[in-house]
Amino acid sequence: AQTVTQSQPEMSVQEAETVTLSCTYDTSESDYYLFWYKQPPSRQMILVIRQEAYKQQNATENRFSVNFQKAAKSFSLKISDSQLGDAAMYFCAYGRYDATNKLIFGTGTLLAVQP
Amino acid sequence: NAGVTQTPKFRVLKTGQSMTLLCAQDMNHEYMYWYRQDPGMGLRLIHYSVGEGTTAKGEVPDGYNVSRLKKQNFLLGLESAAPSQTSVYFCASSPQRGRTDTDTQYFGPGTRLTVL
C-alpha cells in the first residue's frame, strides 16, 4: 500500500526568506501524481502545486516550486520570499492513475511565518 | 459558480444521534469523496463515488454510510454517532481521470462535528 510521510510536524520561517517542506512517499507504481495542498486557518483546502511522475521537469507556481526526486521518492515544496499569508498547514498527497482519483495524504506540516 | 459546498458548517450531536452531511458541487464532476481530518493524522478517506448511483469504501468507512442519488450531491450519514466520530469532515470532487490537471480534487469548506 502507498504511504506518504511528512517528517516535519512544524516549521518556521522569517518573512521574505525561503523554506522547504519535506515529503517522502512509498509506492511500487511507476506512474502517479503528487500534490501539495495548503490549509490556512480558514480550514479551506487550497491546491498549491501538482506534479506528474512522468514529467522530469519540476513544477512551479509563482513563489512555490517542488524538488521531485523520483528515484528517492521525495517531493519537497520550496516557498520563496515567504509572506505572512503563507502561514498554514501544508499537506502532501499521492494519487495513482486509476479509475478512482483517490488521494493519500501525509499528516501535514504546520508552517509559521515570523514578521 | 460555488464550487463545492457543504451543509452544515458546524454541528454538535449527542452519542447515539443520527445526522446527514450534504455535499454539493456545481462543476459537473464525476467523482466525489468524503474525508475526515483529525489532529496529527492528515485526511483519511471515508467513502467515495465514481459516478451517480455508485459508492465505495475508503480507508475508514466504519460507522458511516453514503449515497449519491444525483451526480451533484454526495451525502454522508452517521446512523448512531460516537465520540470517536468527532472530527472535521471534508467533501471533495474531481473530474474523470485523465492525463491533464483535470484529475485534481477540489475541496469544500469542511464541517466541524462534535459528538458528546
Side-chain angles (χ1 to χ4, degrees):
Chain A
Q2 293 85 12
T3 58
V4 176
T5 301
Q6 293 180 250
S7 59
Q8 306 154 315
E10 297 182 11
M11 293 280 286
S12 182
V13 63
Q14 291 292 127
E15 199 174 2
E17 296 295 310
T18 296
V19 64
T20 299
L21 309 184
S22 300
C23 173
T24 59
Y25 57 93
D26 187 25
T27 183
S28 58
E29 305 286 335
S30 59
D31 209 6
Y32 49 88
Y33 46 96
L34 298 160
F35 298 95
W36 279 99
Y37 279 91
K38 170 185 177 181
Q39 186 181 44
S42 67
R43 211 169 58 199
Q44 180 70 51
M45 293 286 286
I46 302 166
L47 176 66
V48 176
I49 203 163
R50 181 183 187 279
Q51 174 80 43
E52 290 169 296
Y54 71 88
K55 292 184 177 178
Q56 294 187 346
Q57 186 173 6
N58 288 327
T60 62
E61 286 290 341
N62 301 313
R63 298 182 294 105
F64 298 87
S65 62
V66 298
N67 183 4
F68 174 49
Q69 301 289 330
K70 190 172 184 179
K73 298 179 182 176
S74 171
F75 183 60
S76 60
L77 175 70
K78 185 172 82 172
I79 305 174
S80 303
D81 186 24
S82 296
Q83 300 175 0
L84 295 178
D86 295 333
M89 182 73 86
Y90 287 82
F91 291 99
C92 177
Y94 166 97
R96 292 174 58 191
Y97 278 114
D98 64 14
T100 69
N101 281 2
K102 289 189 294 182
L103 295 180
I104 298 170
F105 285 84
T107 53
T109 296
L110 182 62
L111 177 67
V113 180
Q114 307 300 330
Chain B
N1 189 337
V4 180
T5 59
Q6 292 182 230
T7 308
K9 288 186 169 51
F10 302 92
R11 185 73 185 267
V12 179
L13 289 179
K14 295 181 179 178
T15 297
Q17 287 185 320
S18 64
M19 77 162 295
T20 300
L21 306 183
L22 171 63
C23 176
Q25 52 95 3
D26 61 3
M27 297 176 283
N28 200 35
H29 285 171
E30 289 293 330
Y31 299 164
M32 297 186 74
Y33 313 84
W34 276 108
Y35 294 90
R36 61 177 289 172
Q37 182 181 14
D38 302 293
M41 302 189 75
L43 277 75
R44 293 180 293 167
L45 184 64
I46 304 171
H47 286 281
Y48 64 98
S49 167
V50 297
E52 181 178 319
T54 73
T55 63
K57 294 180 180 180
E59 183 186 356
V60 289
D62 293 343
Y64 305 95
N65 56 75
V66 288
S67 64
R68 185 130 180 243
L69 299 179
K70 295 182 179 180
K71 185 177 182 179
Q72 64 267 34
N73 295 337
F74 195 29
L75 278 63
L76 177 71
L78 287 74
E79 289 187 347
S80 179
S84 61
Q85 294 178 304
T86 293
S87 188
V88 178
Y89 292 86
F90 285 96
C91 176
S93 70
S94 74
Q96 199 164 10
R97 181 180 66 88
R99 275 189 180 268
T100 69
D101 63 357
T102 60
D103 47 13
T104 299
Q105 288 189 20
Y106 298 88
F107 284 80
T111 295
R112 180 175 293 279
L113 175 66
T114 301
V115 182
L116 302 176

